[in-house]
Amino acid sequence: MPIIGYPSLRSAALVVALLVLAACATPPVAPAQAPITSPYPPTANVEFLDAAPPRPYVEIGPLDAPGEPGMLRAQVLAQLREKARALGADAVIVHDVSYRAPVTQRLNPTTGFYETVGGQTVPAFKGIAIKFR
């Protein structure tokens, strides 16, 4: 004699098994970008611009300077400036892509109390290195 609800039990077990398998799958990895090479020699000074300048220029390539929680904006901008300098850029059109780190709570094993971590602004910048004509 069949057990009542057997098909729904089998369906539930199948759904749980699929969810477990989906949780174990590795997320897709973004393809690595080749480093930008530039035909220009390194420059001494690099300007930061909020928008495209009115004078003629050539785009060298995109730049990315992701920060970490606790870093200062000046540190991340210094990284961006150094990358642009090495490419021979005269300026960088900068876009601020800073974000707030998620707030989480964790158990401190020493004190036995929960503590809040995260929530601070993480500085990050993207830009386009340019060379004036």
Side-chain angles (χ1 to χ4, degrees):
M1 178 171 214
I3 300 174
I4 297 175
Y6 178 73
S8 64
L9 180 62
R10 185 186 317 183
S11 298
L14 179 61
V15 169
V16 169
L18 289 175
L19 288 173
V20 169
L21 288 174
C24 294
T26 57
V29 177
Q33 288 183 322
I36 300 171
T37 57
S38 174
Y40 306 107
T43 54
N45 296 318
V46 176
E47 295 178 55
F48 286 143
L49 307 172
D50 293 332
R55 61 194 264 198
Y57 64 90
V58 175
E59 287 187 11
I60 297 174
L63 295 175
D64 188 23
E68 295 179 11
M71 285 183 79
L72 299 174
R73 291 172 57 86
Q75 290 173 309
V76 181
L77 285 170
Q79 290 176 358
L80 188 68
R81 179 171 272 134
E82 183 55 34
K83 288 178 182 181
R85 190 196 70 69
L87 290 174
D90 292 322
V92 178
I93 304 169
V94 180
H95 300 286
D96 188 346
V97 292
S98 300
Y99 61 95
R100 283 191 74 72
V103 177
T104 59
Q105 291 205 343
R106 68 175 181 190
L107 179 65
N108 184 327
T110 305
T111 64
F113 294 110
Y114 282 94
E115 58 189 18
T116 302
V117 293
Q120 69 258 43
T121 300
V122 179
F125 298 93
K126 290 186 180 279
I128 299 190
I130 63 172
K131 185 80 171 169
F132 294 122
R133 291 185 185 195

